[in-house]
Amino acid sequence: MKIIIGNHIEHSILKLSNDDRIFSQRVIWFAEDGDLIILPSKPDMQFLQHVTSLTGVDANSLKFFVTSNNKSNEKHFDPQALYEEQFINSIRKEINNVTQVLPMWPSPAIAHFVEKLSLSDKLQGASFFLQNGVELVNNKAYFRVFATAAGAPIADGRVCHSIEEAELAIRNLLSINDAVMIKQAHNGAGAGNELLIRDKSLGVGHVGAVHMHVLSTANDPIKSYLDSRWNWASANGKRPVIIEEFIPDAKTIYAEFFANDEGVYFTGSGRLGYTNQRLVTEIAPLRGISKEVETKLTTYGESLAKFYQSIGYRGYLSADAVIEKDDNIVFTEVNSRVGGSLHVYDSIANKVVKAKEEPERTVVQYHSPLNWTPVAFETFHQFLEDNNLLYDSSKRKGILISLPILLEVGGYVSFCIVYENEQEEKQYYSLLDNHFSTKKLYL
Amino acid sequence: MKIIIGNHIEHSILKLSNDDRIFSQRVIWFAEDGDLIILPSKPDMQFLQHVTSLTGVDANSLKFFVTSNNKSNEKHFDPQALYEEQFINSIRKEINNVTQVLPMWPSPAIAHFVEKLSLSDKLQGASFFLQNGVELVNNKAYFRVFATAAGAPIADGRVCHSIEEAELAIRNLLSINDAVMIKQAHNGAGAGNELLIRDKSLGVGHVGAVHMHVLSTANDPIKSYLDSRWNWASANGKRPVIIEEFIPDAKTIYAEFFANDEGVYFTGSGRLGYTNQRLVTEIAPLRGISKEVETKLTTYGESLAKFYQSIGYRGYLSADAVIEKDDNIVFTEVNSRVGGSLHVYDSIANKVVKAKEEPERTVVQYHSPLNWTPVAFETFHQFLEDNNLLYDSSKRKGILISLPILLEVGGYVSFCIVYENEQEEKQYYSLLDNHFSTKKLYL
């Protein structure tokens, strides 16, 4: 049996999002018969039923634990529970022959927890994680340092430990380009990136940056920008800030690996699609890029994976890159954790769909389109059923629900379309969008 | 020729000390004929004359540059100068056949500077330093992470990214011991360490911690301690904080290495002596410890050096350790820079004194004893001359001045005693102390 822990980056590293109950339950995709799963709150039974019907797991064989029975605390995984004797003892009673401990974010609390359960040998890298190694290997500032040693190409830019260093770096980059990226050391899906541009007309919709700032025409606009945004960028002075050249018309791709004591293993690759600077789609496996780019991605990606393995990290890691116009690629970060793609490219594309078997399939996950009306799980599921859109394992096509849909958390929908060609994908999407969109816009 | 740069840790990493003119001039010990040396201010001519008379270098062959001609700025090396065209051009005119660039703190400004001079190949690791790799490899928090990967023993403890994590770590360590060490991520010579103790009577004079705090008997004393000291410990929230077990009766030792593209090379080892928690002596070569401890120091030290080399660092690095009562050692930090020991163990002990040649010699450097009266260089030097105490190269014994003595910076004295046995060392010291001490105390 595995112990799967649906935790996430901790408050000491990054301010928590409002509610993690949806995202934490993606771990159900990783379950096998008999696994024990720790979540912030009880799993959504409809989602559990949906996922296990696709993965072929016996839902009744899974044991669930929650870090809080207190309604007011259930929005977030509470790492404090992992230090509590009573909680540890209740889990100790339920485990035998544990083969692996699989946390989403291998924090010191996790390392302490496995030590107390005498399971440190089932979490490779436990002593590294006990010293908060996970913070280091998810830090975009130190990524730029490590990439130089691993020999992976990175965008022109600097790591800035003070507002003065940032001012100099921005000034230098804006002297050769009309835009720069300002990046927080920790954050994901573009939420930690801000694009600073001279001119509003620049084409920037594809960029993974939630924030955008147009330089004022005032005296010393860089200084006044930093005066207003340095605290955001540096997490109130807590972290270094990355200043990078802006790469026009870039596509975002990734290669993931699994690192263990023996080495690193390629586990999958895919593409992220940003619309209006917001992460909208995740596509797996990787399609529609040149052989040359794919080779660069996996070769340099493997160098980075080996580097992170050599400094002590164990577990899944994703090397993210953007493709420049001329088929060059530059790497932007390494995420050393179970990120938002593993269930898409591995659980769904590799295992449920077997996407690389003939006839080949592609999986695209959409995250809760902004102009959709909130729905309940059963409403969405019923619509798929009624319109014969539900994923059909005999045809290896259709739509499946990739994350819980919880009305109390906003009724957002995350789903995957499994398709043979792009026209088919558009048809599936249009059917959904026509029904659930409030504005009837095709994104 | 070499370019030697007497810079130091930058303001963005650590608040600068009041005046760096004394310490920066230690680089004169590293000069060879024809070298170019960049300092915050002009070298002290008496010190220059003293050092070169011992190293055999032609002082007139050295070219000095200063980062500021402005009297108000000369206390600190100004890294901004390294970005200025005029400064770069003035240096470009003076260099030919540069074999090595040797900064004390290889910052991004240094990497930029060598790039502008087309000398990046003379500063190994230039691309690593351009991304501020030097901050990472001098950070005591990440040292604890790296030590787990390098397999070097460290003290029990945690790396804390929030006050809550620190509270938990202190509570756990104080449940098994009467004292804990609180360490800043960046700082040196004990200035970044605070000893938190339950009981004033604990014997702690030997500890490398400038600060000490006795836990109050109030309710929740750990919390109230952290409320008052977290900002200090975390550099106003900018860095993680290290909480470590207190090691009673520990001696501090180090092994230094030089890392280049090919590998790492042992360069020397020594011991640091703390009195009343203040760094007072540096002794080289390493004497008076067991063969077993020395083997552990150099073996694990080499593992750490190789690790830091593997992640991209190039240059001198010191692996610091403390000896526990039972001849165990634990490592406390790696300093990846030219620290305060290189001129003592290498320039003075290895090269001037040839301390390991028969009859063997030992060198001890004393830093400005607190109860000495301020003196001028010539006063101190004259006293040595008049009393026949000046280092005598034929006898390989005596006293030499290791750092400039500047009355305007306080008239502090740093000197080295070169001796054959400890009794001799005590005699030398007593003669000085009897003359210069205001209190006539033997430290």
Side-chain angles (χ1 to χ4, degrees), chain B residues 158 177 197 381:
Chain B
R158 295 294 173 89
N177 206 327
I197 59 177
H381 193 270

Side-chain angles (χ1 to χ4, degrees), chain A residues 176-310:
Chain A
I176 49 175
N177 206 327
D178 284 333
V180 292
M181 282 285 257
I182 319 294
K183 292 183 174 183
Q184 292 180 323
H186 292 288
N187 222 325
N193 297 351
E194 177 154 280
L195 189 67
L196 179 62
I197 59 176
R198 277 197 197 286
D199 182 347
K200 253 188 180 157
S201 65
L202 213 65
V204 293
H206 67 282
V207 177
V210 165
H211 310 279
M212 190 163 75
H213 187 100
V214 182
L215 272 185
S216 75
T217 52
N219 254 352
D220 221 342
I222 295 171
K223 199 169 178 319
S224 70
Y225 163 74
L226 282 169
D227 283 344
S228 68
R229 294 295 282 166
W230 174 257
N231 278 349
W232 168 82
S234 66
N236 295 316
K238 191 167 182 173
R239 306 286 173 196
V241 173
I242 301 97
I243 311 288
E244 277 181 359
E245 67 176 323
F246 166 65
I247 295 169
D249 302 319
K251 282 181 194 161
T252 302
I253 53 178
Y254 66 83
E256 283 212 6
F257 298 83
F258 185 76
N260 66 17
D261 287 350
E262 281 71 48
V264 302
Y265 308 90
F266 176 75
T267 53
S269 55
R271 184 147 72 87
L272 304 181
Y274 288 85
T275 303
N276 296 324
Q277 295 144 250
R278 190 173 152 270
L279 177 62
V280 171
T281 57
E282 303 200 26
I283 303 165
L286 193 59
R287 303 275 188 219
I289 60 164
S290 72
K291 190 73 206 156
E292 189 191 340
V293 167
E294 190 166 352
T295 303
K296 284 179 187 168
L297 174 69
T298 49
T299 308
Y300 288 126
E302 189 177 78
S303 300
L304 285 166
K306 283 181 176 167
F307 183 89
Y308 278 75
Q309 195 268 0
S310 80

Side-chain angles (χ1 to χ4, degrees), chain B residues 272-284:
Chain B
L272 304 182
Y274 288 86
T275 302
N276 297 323
Q277 295 143 250
R278 190 173 153 270
L279 177 62
V280 172
T281 57
E282 303 200 26
I283 303 165

Side-chain angles (χ1 to χ4, degrees), chain B residues 96-110:
Chain B
N96 56 69
N97 293 322
V98 172
T99 53
Q100 189 194 2
V101 177
L102 177 64
M104 301 302 100
W105 176 261
S107 65
I110 299 282

Side-chain angles (χ1 to χ4, degrees), chain B residues 151-217:
Chain B
I154 53 176
D156 192 13
R158 295 294 173 89
V159 174
C160 302
H161 289 255
S162 72
I163 198 166
E164 293 78 17
E165 290 175 359
E167 195 181 331
L168 182 68
I170 293 174
R171 206 174 296 286
N172 286 340
L173 283 171
L174 282 183
S175 72
I176 49 175
N177 206 327
D178 283 333
V180 292
M181 281 286 257
I182 319 294
K183 292 183 173 183
Q184 293 180 323
H186 292 288
N187 222 325
N193 297 351
E194 177 154 282
L195 189 67
L196 178 62
I197 59 177
R198 276 197 197 287
D199 182 346
K200 253 187 180 159
S201 66
L202 212 65
V204 293
H206 67 282
V207 176
V210 165
H211 309 280
M212 189 163 75
H213 186 101
V214 182
L215 271 185
S216 75
T217 53

Side-chain angles (χ1 to χ4, degrees), chain B residues 256-276:
Chain B
E256 283 212 7
F257 298 83
F258 185 76
N260 65 17
D261 287 350
E262 282 71 46
V264 302
Y265 308 89
F266 176 75
T267 52
S269 55
R271 184 148 72 88
L272 304 182
Y274 288 86
T275 302
N276 297 323

